[in-house]
Amino acid sequence: MGRGKIEIKRIENSSNRQVTYSKRKNGILKKAKEISVLCDAQVSLIIFGASGKMHEYISPSTTLIDILDRYQRASGKTLWDAKHENLSNEIDRLKKENDSMQIELRHLKGEDITSLNYKELMALEDALENGLNGVREKKVEVHRMFKRNVWQDFGGAK
């Protein structure tokens, strides 16, 4: 006994629509995995539900970027232009710079310094001493201003 055909139109009942979405989403994800394994096909499937939640499947033998690049070449459609490529490169550069600054901050806090050589340790010590001197100078300046303000507040003249 086969399944009955249904009319393909929007399901009005939201509960029924959600159940159908969930079942069909799982079904199409399963089919994407199966065709990838059985036929050695490169598959990329992205689904956005009505709530905005994303579900995806990408064949283990590829990446989404590779699939999109192949799609762009095969279809002749431009998915991103040089401006987006430059922005992507800038994001990568900033991520590397951020990682480097995170490492430097850990070093300044005395963390993860076992891998540093003598020259790097000397440079780190100099940076810390310069920073400490700056903090001490600022502390003295603030202390003098505080004393001057307290002296003036109590009627003293300077």
Side-chain angles (χ1 to χ4, degrees), residues 36 46 82 102 127 131 145:
S36 176
I46 304 169
Q102 294 271 348
M145 287 177 58

Side-chain angles (χ1 to χ4, degrees), residues 83-138:
K83 177 181 168 186
H84 291 97
E85 192 67 33
N86 290 339
L87 288 174
S88 177
N89 292 338
E90 179 68 6
I91 288 170
D92 290 341
R93 186 190 67 74
L94 289 172
K95 283 180 181 177
K96 287 176 186 171
E97 185 179 338
N98 184 37
D99 291 344
S100 176
M101 293 174 86
Q102 294 271 348
I103 290 168
E104 186 177 347
L105 179 59
R106 282 197 302 274
H107 290 166
L108 289 169
K109 290 164 58 177
E111 301 169 359
D112 300 334
I113 59 173
T114 55
S115 64
L116 298 180
N117 63 35
Y118 182 78
K119 187 177 177 182
E120 292 168 325
L121 287 169
M122 290 298 294
L124 180 60
E125 184 180 30
D126 287 344
L128 287 168
E129 285 177 355
N130 289 337
L132 187 56
N133 287 337
V135 169
R136 285 181 177 147
E137 289 172 9
K138 183 65 176 175

Side-chain angles (χ1 to χ4, degrees), residues 57-71:
Y57 173 78
I58 300 166
S59 299
S61 62
T62 191
T63 66
L64 180 59
I65 297 297
D66 291 339
I67 293 269
L68 292 174
D69 284 342
R70 284 183 64 189
Y71 172 80

